[in-house]
Amino acid sequence: MPVSDATICLLMKQRDRKGMEGLYEVYYKPLVVWADTFIHDVGLAEDLVQEFFIKLWEKGMLEGVEPERLKNYLYVGVRNRALNSLDKNDPLRWVGEKAIPTAVWEEYDEVKDQLEERVRAAVERLPEKSREIVKCVYWEDMKYKEVAERFGVSLATVKTLLVNSLKALRKDTSIRLDVLLFFLLKKK
């Protein structure tokens, strides 16, 4: 019979290795599958989850986590590690090319709506050309070359304005890049 989240949290708080064994028994396989949905490589997903578990144990990161929050804590942590491990050949689009399951966010609908509104308001505060380029790339799903042609600028200018816009949006909203891109990539 699987160990309960309450038991896992209690044992981890006590630094009892049985807590780690219970964590592994209950969450290892589902978290590997979850990581694989982002990185599409089971071997790397297994390594990522193993390293995550080791860090959780070594740093005592679960000692303050309540049992009812354990599952979300683990899934969000693995998702973040998976996204950070992706090859960022094109950092302006890499999140958009991966299917981001929204199940983890369902519990946080109110916060999600607030974040979405913050991002949209911040986009509206960008300088006009930057704002239009961000909208074309992220909301109209245009290619960089198409945007460059529409505005009569070089491809390098489009990329520079996007990078600068993302930096400005991150500063304005205080939101991490992966979360910011998640909201930018949501269709209106």
Side-chain angles (χ1 to χ4, degrees):
M1 179 152 191
V3 181
S4 71
D5 287 357
T7 303
I8 291 170
C9 287
L10 177 65
L11 292 170
M12 293 296 280
K13 227 175 248 191
Q14 296 170 348
R15 303 291 290 161
D16 186 329
R17 289 191 183 272
K18 288 182 182 174
M20 198 66 200
E21 291 168 8
L23 185 71
Y24 183 87
E25 177 187 322
V26 175
Y27 286 106
Y28 178 74
K29 287 181 183 176
L31 288 173
V32 168
V33 171
W34 176 242
D36 187 52
T37 64
F38 297 100
I39 58 180
H40 306 290
D41 184 326
V42 175
L44 285 176
E46 289 173 341
D47 291 345
L48 184 139
V49 173
Q50 288 172 9
E51 290 169 10
F52 181 56
F53 279 11
I54 290 167
K55 187 170 185 170
L56 290 174
W57 178 256
E58 288 177 347
K59 303 223 183 241
M61 294 168 66
L62 291 181
E63 291 176 15
V65 176
E66 298 299 320
E68 59 274 7
R69 306 236 186 270
L70 178 63
K71 184 175 182 177
N72 282 340
Y73 181 88
L74 296 171
Y75 277 80
V76 169
V78 167
R79 181 205 63 208
N80 291 345
R81 286 177 161 268
L83 291 174
N84 287 336
S85 74
L86 291 173
D87 180 20
K88 299 174 187 169
N89 288 332
D90 186 355
L92 300 175
R93 285 216 190 251
W94 63 270
V95 173
E97 294 173 0
K98 304 297 176 189
I100 299 181
T102 57
V104 173
W105 292 96
E106 287 176 2
E107 187 175 326
Y108 304 103
D109 279 340
E110 186 176 320
V111 174
K112 185 172 82 171
D113 292 342
Q114 291 171 357
L115 288 173
E116 186 173 349
E117 182 53 39
R118 279 174 51 197
V119 170
R120 290 193 186 282
V123 168
E124 293 304 321
R125 288 191 293 271
L126 289 171
E128 183 179 357
K129 187 168 271 189
S130 295
R131 178 178 60 243
E132 293 305 315
I133 288 175
V134 166
K135 287 180 177 180
C136 287
V137 171
Y138 292 110
W139 294 343
E140 296 177 30
D141 203 27
M142 292 175 66
K143 304 283 184 211
Y144 297 162
K145 185 176 180 183
E146 295 170 333
V147 175
E149 289 170 1
R150 176 185 276 188
F151 291 102
V153 297
S154 71
L155 195 58
T157 300
V158 170
K159 289 180 180 181
T160 299
L161 286 173
L162 279 174
V163 168
N164 291 340
S165 296
L166 288 175
K167 287 178 183 176
L169 289 170
R170 283 184 66 202
K171 185 176 182 181
D172 188 11
T173 62
S174 301
I175 298 175
R176 285 190 349 243
L177 181 60
D178 60 332
V179 176
L180 180 64
L181 287 171
F182 173 80
F183 287 110
L184 282 174
L185 290 165
K186 286 185 72 173
K187 301 295 182 219
K188 280 190 144 185

